[in-house]
Amino acid sequence: MKPDDIIICRCEDVTLKDILELFEAGYDSFEEIKRIKRVGMGPCQANTCGKMVQWEIAKYFGRRLEDVPFQNMRPFTTGVKLKAIKEAAEHEND
């Protein structure tokens, strides 16, 4: 298969060709790729594409997979209680 036919990140529609072009431009970390192409920022939060991106970085740059850091995980800053959502919905048409 051609690199432009291989989807790495389904959420953000990023192909292997997109990733390889970033490598050729000098980008070599998950964080850089994430900031440019939004890989790992879709609904799956890199649960689908994360390991594939790590693998491609390791393979392209001749690194061990264990030596390629995963993206920084940033949890939500505050939670929302379901009760607050329910109450807001009930009063939405007031």
Side-chain angles (χ1 to χ4, degrees):
M1 289 183 84
K2 297 183 292 184
D4 51 343
D5 292 335
I6 300 171
I7 302 292
I8 297 292
C9 178
R10 293 181 292 183
C11 298
E12 299 297 330
D13 198 29
V14 178
T15 65
L16 178 58
K17 179 182 176 188
D18 296 326
I19 301 292
L20 294 175
E21 287 173 352
L22 291 176
F23 294 162
E24 291 168 10
Y27 299 102
D28 68 346
S29 74
F30 199 123
E31 284 298 312
E32 291 172 323
I33 294 167
K34 178 173 84 171
R35 283 173 172 69
I36 295 167
K37 289 290 181 180
R38 295 188 43 82
V39 171
M41 296 177 74
C44 86
Q45 294 292 289
N47 286 314
T48 303
C49 64
K51 286 293 181 189
M52 288 189 287
V53 173
Q54 281 184 295
W55 172 253
E56 291 302 327
I57 292 170
K59 187 169 68 169
Y60 188 90
F61 293 102
R63 299 178 189 160
R64 293 180 332 145
L65 187 60
E66 305 83 42
D67 295 334
V68 178
F70 195 64
Q71 71 167 346
N72 291 330
M73 300 300 287
R74 293 178 180 88
F76 298 114
T77 56
T78 60
V80 178
K81 295 186 182 217
L82 291 176
K83 181 180 177 182
I85 295 171
K86 178 182 177 266
E87 289 172 354
E90 289 171 351
H91 299 314
E92 189 171 280
N93 294 327
D94 291 344

